[in-house]
Amino acid sequence: AHRTGALGWVCLVGAWVSAVWRRLRSDVDPSPGRIAMSDVVEIGSAVRLGARRRELGVDGFESWVGETVVGRIPGARHEPE
């Protein structure tokens, strides 16, 4: 069946995000990253954590974008003045 409208976009984007995510994981059968509620300090308009994202091991996509996309932009690794 062919999906149209918003549902069609959700399915298409969801499949693409899932494929990218699986590609970034080294595990044979990856599972989503999880953050324990014990690491959550505050829930408001933003969720504040008591640990840095690198300590939690859930920043794979951000690390990949930084290295593969942003890191290749001329001047991207330049120290701020």
Side-chain angles (χ1 to χ4, degrees):
H2 179 71
R3 295 186 173 111
T4 60
L7 179 59
W9 278 107
V10 167
C11 291
L12 178 66
V13 171
W16 181 81
V17 169
S18 178
V20 168
W21 177 77
R22 285 188 173 278
R23 197 163 220 203
L24 297 176
R25 301 291 296 191
S26 58
D27 306 344
V28 174
D29 188 22
S31 60
R34 302 202 185 277
I35 298 173
M37 284 303 293
S38 59
D39 291 323
V40 176
V41 173
E42 179 183 347
I43 299 175
S45 60
V47 176
R48 199 165 59 103
L49 303 175
R52 299 200 180 273
R53 67 178 174 268
R54 292 196 192 281
E55 295 169 3
L56 298 171
V58 294
D59 65 337
F61 183 71
E62 185 172 341
S63 296
W64 179 83
V65 169
E67 295 167 9
T68 309
V69 180
V70 177
R72 294 183 180 191
I73 298 171
R77 298 195 189 277
H78 176 69
E79 292 296 320
E81 295 178 11

